[in-house]
Amino acid sequence: AYERLRTLDKNEYYMAYVTLSEVVGYGEFKTWFDSLDLEMGSPWCAVAEKSEEGDGFTAWEIIGFDYGASGMCLNFDNEKYPYLSLLDADAEAFPENNPEIMQTHFVSMLRYMAEQEEFCEMMGLERYNVDWDALANNVEENGLYLYGFATQAKPDVLIKLSEMEEVCYIYTTPVW
């Protein structure tokens, strides 16, 4: 896989799906990712669930969130879904810097999805039988853990990333 990175067109951007060497908490990931001196797009973070049997993690559902404060105007119950939009986190200039806010945001997104049957049906998600509330409970009880991320970058950046001990594997697809 790493040799394939060297064959990519050096002038093109690629979508990179990065698996980390270990599952890490959101705060640890944020510190590591922010310390990288690499030109990459903002990551989509892949969330791991704490397994019920033991100390391990699972990724039965491909769930995650976009890193960074963004959002849109939605009409929702702020008390029921705190920080559903990170634009509501006006106490912090950058809510993604606060692991507690990001965990609350992600749990709110999952709980919101649990009540959006029409939307899930329209998107074809009902065939996957995702138990949004169980996922939310898992993150709420065990914390927000990540096993990887997706980003956009050129091959030279991906090669540097692939050489880091924190990275286990990188799969790429063309952006265009």
Side-chain angles (χ1 to χ4, degrees):
Y2 297 128
E3 281 305 312
R4 183 178 181 284
L5 294 176
R6 297 185 198 297
T7 68
L8 300 176
D9 183 335
K10 68 180 182 176
N11 297 313
E12 294 294 327
Y13 279 90
Y14 291 86
M15 193 71 214
Y17 304 92
V18 180
T19 303
L20 300 172
S21 297
E22 322 182 340
V23 173
V24 295
Y26 172 78
E28 185 179 346
F29 172 80
K30 172 99 172 82
T31 299
W32 172 73
F33 191 86
D34 288 351
S35 74
L36 299 177
D37 189 23
L38 300 174
E39 290 184 36
M40 294 185 285
S42 180
W44 177 88
C45 301
V47 175
E49 303 167 64
K50 190 81 163 161
S51 69
E52 293 178 15
E53 59 282 328
D55 296 337
F57 292 88
T58 65
W60 294 113
E61 303 295 341
I62 299 174
I63 56 172
F65 59 93
D66 197 18
Y67 177 91
S70 63
M72 60 172 51
C73 294
L74 289 173
N75 187 14
F76 62 91
D77 182 340
N78 284 321
E79 292 207 18
K80 189 173 184 180
Y81 308 112
Y83 299 127
L84 178 61
S85 167
L86 288 176
L87 297 177
D88 293 339
D90 42 59
E92 297 245 348
F94 299 102
E96 68 270 16
N97 290 337
N98 185 319
E100 292 81 28
I101 287 177
M102 291 306 290
Q103 179 172 320
T104 301
H105 167 63
F106 189 65
V107 167
S108 287
M109 288 194 307
L110 294 171
R111 297 224 186 273
Y112 186 80
M113 287 298 294
E115 294 187 358
Q116 302 306 312
E117 292 177 27
E118 189 176 318
F119 173 77
C120 289
E121 186 177 323
M122 178 182 74
M123 297 302 292
L125 298 175
E126 81 284 353
R127 69 177 171 246
Y128 296 108
N129 284 334
V130 176
D131 188 343
W132 301 105
D133 282 321
L135 293 170
N137 290 340
N138 188 296
V139 172
E140 207 165 48
E141 292 169 16
N142 300 302
L144 184 58
Y145 289 91
L146 309 178
Y147 67 90
F149 62 97
T151 189
Q152 292 182 14
K154 287 188 173 183
D156 61 328
V157 170
L158 299 176
I159 290 168
K160 289 176 187 170
L161 191 63
S162 74
E163 294 168 346
M164 296 179 179
E165 67 182 50
E166 294 86 355
V167 173
C168 175
Y169 188 80
I170 299 177
Y171 175 79
T172 59
T173 59
V175 171
W176 316 115

